[in-house]
Amino acid sequence: MKMIPEAKSGLLTIGRKNVVRPFRQLVIFGWEQALSCLFPVVIFASLALTQIIPLPFLARYDWLLIICLLMQVWMVRSGLETRDGLKVITLFHIIGLALEIFKVNMGSWSYPEEGYFKVFGVPLYSGFMYASVASYLCQAWRRLNVELIRWPSLWLVVPLAAAIYLNFFTHHYWLDIRWWLSGLVVIVFWRAWVHFEVNGTSYRMPIVFSFVLIGFFIWIAENIATFFGAWEYPNQTNAWSLVHIGKLSSWLLLVIVSFLIVASLKQAKGRISRG
């Protein structure tokens, strides 16, 4: 049976739409993600710039702190960052700085360069690297209209987040239970989904899968950061090398803590759907 020209043209039009629309949605999603990553991008660009071009008067770590502070002021004043987002970022800065001080003094990594604004060997700008994760989560939450479906009770979420964070400290003196905690995360969040919108179309994915994706991209970002001298692992003292894939588990757990804190704060404001 021959196909009439009008029918053939209609099928071609439908076929093009089936290809073009998903591609357009992917591009829009990528653009929204890029905008959400504005603060982390500025940090990486500053790391690269100060590595290539020495800035006068102050040490590199001090310039990085000034750049991060100016960037945060600009984001709040321009409306890119909300006041609530700034509170979350400040909280993450404190949490991250406390972890950095402990880890550096345990010899996990180091900041070998000089700087005026250092506390117990840790430059103050380092807290902004943790804060940038919170900035990304807050930005993406707002831009993609994120909602959480079948989110567990705070009575489960808060102790789990606290246990994950504490394990970063206690594993130096006791058992490292990160894999037990990872298994517990899978069990607790097995039925939970993240719902988001791209260009008016709704999508969803399992929350555990979103943890893995974010953790993987942060591990990639860590390799970029260490390449530009943000910090230094013991095996990178003589020459830069790829961050061990085992660190991915640490970043995965850190992402989970970050997500749980942000989600709990959102829940406190009544912005989570329980399905």
Side-chain angles (χ1 to χ4, degrees), residues 90-110:
T90 303
L91 173 63
F92 272 82
H93 191 285
I94 296 170
I95 291 173
L97 194 59
L99 182 60
E100 286 287 314
I101 291 172
F102 178 81
K103 289 291 187 179
V104 165
N105 285 276
M106 292 299 295
S108 298
W109 55 81
S110 64

Side-chain angles (χ1 to χ4, degrees), residues 52-263:
I52 299 170
I53 305 173
L55 299 179
F57 308 119
L58 293 173
R60 180 175 179 238
Y61 289 162
D62 299 328
W63 275 115
L64 289 169
L65 174 63
I66 292 171
I67 292 170
C68 289
L69 288 171
L70 290 176
M71 183 61 187
Q72 268 302 288
V73 170
W74 176 78
M75 288 183 70
V76 173
R77 295 192 61 141
S78 65
L80 288 173
E81 200 79 79
T82 64
R83 299 283 180 177
D84 285 342
L86 181 61
K87 294 174 186 177
V88 175
I89 288 170
T90 303
L91 173 63
F92 272 82
H93 191 285
I94 296 170
I95 291 173
L97 194 59
L99 182 60
E100 286 287 314
I101 291 172
F102 178 81
K103 289 291 187 179
V104 165
N105 285 276
M106 292 299 295
S108 298
W109 55 81
S110 64
Y111 293 90
E113 298 180 31
E114 297 296 324
Y116 290 110
F117 299 100
K118 294 180 79 172
V119 180
F120 300 109
V122 177
L124 293 181
Y125 90 87
S126 65
F128 279 108
M129 291 189 288
Y130 295 84
S132 67
V133 177
S135 176
Y136 160 75
L137 290 174
C138 291
Q139 291 275 334
W141 206 293
R142 178 165 52 89
R143 293 180 183 279
L144 299 176
N145 195 23
V146 170
E147 291 185 359
L148 302 179
I149 310 300
R150 296 195 182 99
W151 188 251
S153 167
L154 279 175
W155 295 106
L156 287 173
V157 172
V158 173
L160 181 57
I164 293 171
Y165 182 70
L166 288 175
N167 186 65
F168 284 110
F169 298 86
T170 57
H171 82 85
H172 288 280
Y173 308 103
W174 191 55
L175 297 174
D176 186 355
I177 58 172
R178 72 178 68 188
W179 298 113
W180 291 95
L181 292 170
S182 299
L184 193 57
V185 166
V186 172
I187 294 171
V188 171
F189 294 97
W190 183 255
R191 298 177 67 249
W193 293 74
V194 57
H195 174 281
F196 58 97
E197 293 182 4
V198 179
N199 194 29
T201 303
S202 297
Y203 301 90
R204 70 173 186 169
M205 73 168 64
I207 199 76
V208 174
F209 183 59
S210 70
F211 291 156
V212 174
L213 280 180
I214 298 173
F216 174 71
F217 283 110
I218 291 181
W219 177 76
I220 293 176
E222 181 184 30
N223 279 282
I224 298 172
T226 54
F227 179 79
F228 288 118
W231 64 89
E232 188 178 272
Y233 286 108
N235 66 314
Q236 297 173 329
T237 302
N238 297 323
W240 181 83
S241 60
L242 196 68
V243 176
H244 193 275
I245 191 67
K247 290 290 182 182
L248 182 59
S249 64
S250 298
W251 283 112
L252 175 59
L253 289 172
L254 184 65
V255 165
I256 292 170
V257 171
S258 305
F259 200 100
L260 297 189
I261 292 174
V262 173

